[in-house]
Amino acid sequence: KKKKKKKNAIAITTAKKGSGKIKINGVPINLVHPLDIKNKILEPFFILGSNERLNLNFDIFSKGGGKVSQIYAIRQSISKCLVFYYYKYISASKSNLLKIKYLTYDKKLLISDVSRIEPKKYGGLGARARFQKSYR
């Protein structure tokens, strides 16, 4: 069971022995549309490779934030869950190899993005922009 965040979105992934089904908030992955979102969620499995077929059922719960940040939290949660599974049940060396694969493909698969929107301040239109100074 792994919990990951992206901005305000939270995703919790639970992996159990099974037939390889993936459910997001109770909905099977094959019913998720559009296809781009589905592919983004399945990226950790694509990187893992088809020869490494795991008989695990993934039950994913996500809430908060927007759709895109939920997707990024889900894929991060899945990849962390897979790395932990490899470490606990297969071997530490294969877990490290998988971790390196994920980090070379996309750093955000394992490391959370902590960037936030900087709040607007007085004296200008935005966070950093200031009103133009005039002498006349």
Side-chain angles (χ1 to χ4, degrees), residues 31-118:
L31 297 179
V32 174
H33 290 290
L35 194 62
D36 296 337
I37 290 174
K38 187 170 155 183
N39 288 339
K40 203 70 172 165
I41 292 169
L42 292 174
E43 267 180 2
F45 299 107
F46 295 148
I47 297 165
L48 185 64
S50 58
N51 57 346
E52 296 279 337
R53 193 69 195 146
L54 300 171
N55 291 328
L56 294 172
N57 287 349
F58 288 91
D59 201 18
I60 304 159
F61 172 72
S62 68
K63 67 174 183 176
K67 287 287 182 190
V68 174
S69 59
Q70 276 187 3
I71 291 162
Y72 276 90
I74 288 169
R75 69 195 280 260
Q76 192 178 65
S77 176
I78 290 171
S79 55
K80 281 283 220 183
C81 194
L82 285 170
V83 168
F84 184 72
Y85 177 81
Y86 264 70
Y87 184 78
K88 191 168 182 181
Y89 296 108
I90 297 175
S91 73
S93 60
K94 281 195 175 186
S95 171
N96 287 335
L97 287 173
L98 183 61
K99 194 183 283 190
I100 291 168
K101 267 187 187 179
Y102 284 151
L103 288 174
T104 52
Y105 181 79
D106 187 5
K107 186 180 168 186
K108 289 185 175 40
L109 276 170
L110 294 176
I111 300 166
S112 62
D113 183 19
V114 294
S115 61
R116 301 286 182 268
I117 296 174
E118 191 175 345

Side-chain angles (χ1 to χ4, degrees), residues 118-131:
E118 191 175 345
K120 183 195 173 302
K121 288 135 189 132
Y122 60 88
L125 294 173
R128 301 281 173 105
R130 298 290 131 225
F131 292 125

